[in-house]
Amino acid sequence: MVSQPISPKQSRRVLSSQPSRFCPSSIVLNWGAADPIKRGPVVGTVLNPAHRNVIGTHSGSYAVYRALAVASGRLRADHRADLTNTSPAVKIGPHPAWADPDRIISLDPFGAVVGEAYQHLYKQGYDIRPSIAITKAHINMPELQDAVAKGRLVEDGKVMKPGGDLVVTKAAIEPVWYLPGIAKRLNVEEKMLRRALFEHTGGMFPDLVTCPDLKVFLPPIGGITVYIIGEPDAIADPDKPLTVRVHDECNGSDVFGSDICTCRPYLVHGIEACIQTAQAGGAGVVVYLRKEGRALGEVTKFLVYNARKRQAGGDRADAYFARTECVAGVQDMRFQELMPDVLHWLGITRIDRLVSMSDLKYNAITQSGIQVIERVAIPDDLIPADAQVEIEAKKAAGYYTQSQVLTQESLAEIKGRGLTD
């Protein structure tokens, strides 16, 4: 079924139904300014319409739960977060890309430091909330313990402690979209982008079409978690090696161990490679993006599983993507064009080892200006038997590069950093 644009009459009815329309704000956002004060804070509060300078609300993907809490009396509608002692456990940035309005357009580079940078405004009553939080933790996975037992990893007491506890710095990042930048990167008109966002969210955000002066949108979608292995300062150090795994969410495999795809095995392989690089004096970064089922959703994913297995001839590589397109209309909606923003936020300019053979990811990263020296495939012995259909389908579709020819200069650089034999 093809969706139809809403009529002017419908549009007027939707636009007039919102609680309050107030486009002008007392704080103007100057996206791309290097100074957070000159850039201005992102204010998605519903407490004071005059303070709002974005479309949407803070923690947009949880806004409905917040509304339920208010409606049921469990949360005061006028609550403002107490940000005492919530500052980042580790300092990241600022990096040059933070001041480039073309490099970072899908997150707020100053999102972790609003408690410090905008304290004066917070004291004046502005409801300014962080969109990034950075903390430290340990993680432990049975596969990593197995890698230690088999001698692939070493418990060095610093990066990996006895018992397989892996020391990490992690950051949670909520999406903050600068609409002119999103439109430019996707090569569409901003007006068309805003209209599509308005129509295909059922008119949830009338400001998209009524307030063209508001250029920032807090979309109600999942965010990103970054896991840093090794010293965070090593990430942007050109003299230290860096390994990166960019991983799109797969709940069935990542959490529950489903064997129909390679997602968890590839994720663990990426973490292992990051550990090895960190122990060699560099750093490893795992970027985990909430884009379940290629951003088509888990319901769509399961429908496709059924369709694939019930078709004549069983689950076949030649019909793998076709069945997805029959159900969803497209094969993939992850829009990897937006993915490199988080890498630029971290200050990454070169990746020595990218643990991915996806051309979509590789092209997005390199076209954003980040150099990739080597691409690392998942070892054959880590591919579950039931996932062979996925691998063969991706080979046939040209979804990823099966082998990469390294220049002698690149190979020498990798060897010089102790990342390969």
Side-chain angles (χ1 to χ4, degrees), residues 85-386:
N85 293 328
T86 63
S87 58
V90 170
K91 184 176 183 291
I92 292 179
H95 296 291
W98 290 24
D100 187 336
D102 291 326
R103 281 278 190 266
I104 299 179
I105 47 88
S106 63
L107 59 88
D108 177 8
F110 299 107
V113 297
V114 300
E116 298 78 45
Y118 306 117
Q119 193 175 58
H120 63 294
L121 292 173
Y122 195 83
K123 290 180 178 178
Q124 293 175 30
Y126 285 86
D127 181 21
I128 305 170
R129 305 183 189 184
S131 60
I132 301 176
I134 306 169
T135 189
K136 283 182 169 289
H138 293 121
I139 63 173
N140 199 316
M141 304 173 73
E143 292 94 336
L144 299 182
Q145 295 179 19
D146 183 62
V148 171
K150 293 179 177 177
R152 296 198 308 271
L153 293 179
V154 177
E155 294 174 340
D156 62 336
K158 183 179 180 181
V159 175
M160 179 172 273
K161 294 188 175 182
D165 281 341
L166 180 60
V167 180
V168 300
T169 300
K170 59 183 182 179
I173 304 173
E174 293 178 347
V176 178
W177 287 4
Y178 177 57
L179 293 174
I182 298 281
K184 181 179 179 181
R185 194 172 296 181
L186 298 183
N187 195 29
V188 300
E189 292 183 10
E190 182 186 341
K191 183 178 180 180
M192 293 290 292
L193 172 67
R194 297 172 76 107
R195 169 60 65 174
L197 288 169
F198 170 66
E199 290 182 355
H200 290 275
T201 55
M204 286 173 61
F205 304 99
D207 291 349
L208 286 165
V209 291
T210 62
C211 296
D213 290 343
L214 296 181
K215 298 294 186 181
V216 173
F217 176 43
L218 306 182
I221 60 174
I224 303 170
T225 307
V226 176
Y227 286 86
I228 300 169
I229 301 166
E231 292 299 326
D233 289 344
I235 294 174
D237 189 333
D239 297 323
K240 294 183 179 179
L242 177 66
T243 292
V244 172
R245 166 66 182 166
V246 176
H247 190 90
D248 294 314
E249 178 183 27
C250 177
N251 183 65
S253 178
D254 296 342
V255 179
F256 293 100
S258 169
D259 65 352
I260 199 170
C261 64
T262 60
C263 293
R264 182 179 173 99
Y266 221 148
L267 174 61
V268 174
H269 180 57
I271 294 173
E272 189 172 325
C274 287
I275 294 170
Q276 293 167 343
T277 303
Q279 291 180 333
V285 172
V286 176
V287 178
Y288 194 89
L289 301 106
R290 268 42 178 228
K291 296 180 180 178
E292 180 66 59
R294 301 193 206 109
L296 303 173
E298 200 165 35
V299 169
T300 295
K301 180 198 285 190
F302 288 7
L303 293 175
V304 172
Y305 285 166
N306 287 343
R308 282 169 47 193
K309 292 179 180 293
R310 289 171 178 164
Q311 65 191 341
D315 196 6
R316 308 190 317 272
D318 64 328
Y320 181 90
F321 288 110
R323 295 309 297 142
T324 300
E325 194 162 353
C326 286
V327 176
V330 295
Q331 295 180 3
D332 195 315
M333 286 199 306
R334 284 176 288 185
F335 286 95
Q336 300 292 3
E337 297 94 329
L338 305 182
M339 172 268 292
D341 288 26
V342 64
L343 304 179
H344 289 294
W345 175 70
L346 290 165
I348 294 174
T349 56
R350 187 197 61 238
I351 298 171
D352 292 281
R353 306 188 80 199
L354 176 65
V355 188
S356 171
M357 298 306 287
S358 165
D359 285 345
L360 294 173
K361 293 177 182 178
Y362 172 79
N363 291 339
I365 291 170
T366 55
Q367 289 170 10
S368 79
I370 297 174
Q371 181 186 15
V372 174
I373 306 299
E374 180 191 16
R375 296 162 72 179
V376 180
I378 184 172
D380 290 340
D381 60 351
L382 293 182
I383 300 174
D386 208 24

Side-chain angles (χ1 to χ4, degrees), residues 352 373-374 406 409-420:
D352 292 281
I373 306 299
E374 180 191 16
L406 300 176
E409 294 78 9
S410 296
L411 187 58
E413 186 172 359
I414 292 169
K415 287 183 175 180
R417 293 172 179 277
L419 296 180
T420 188

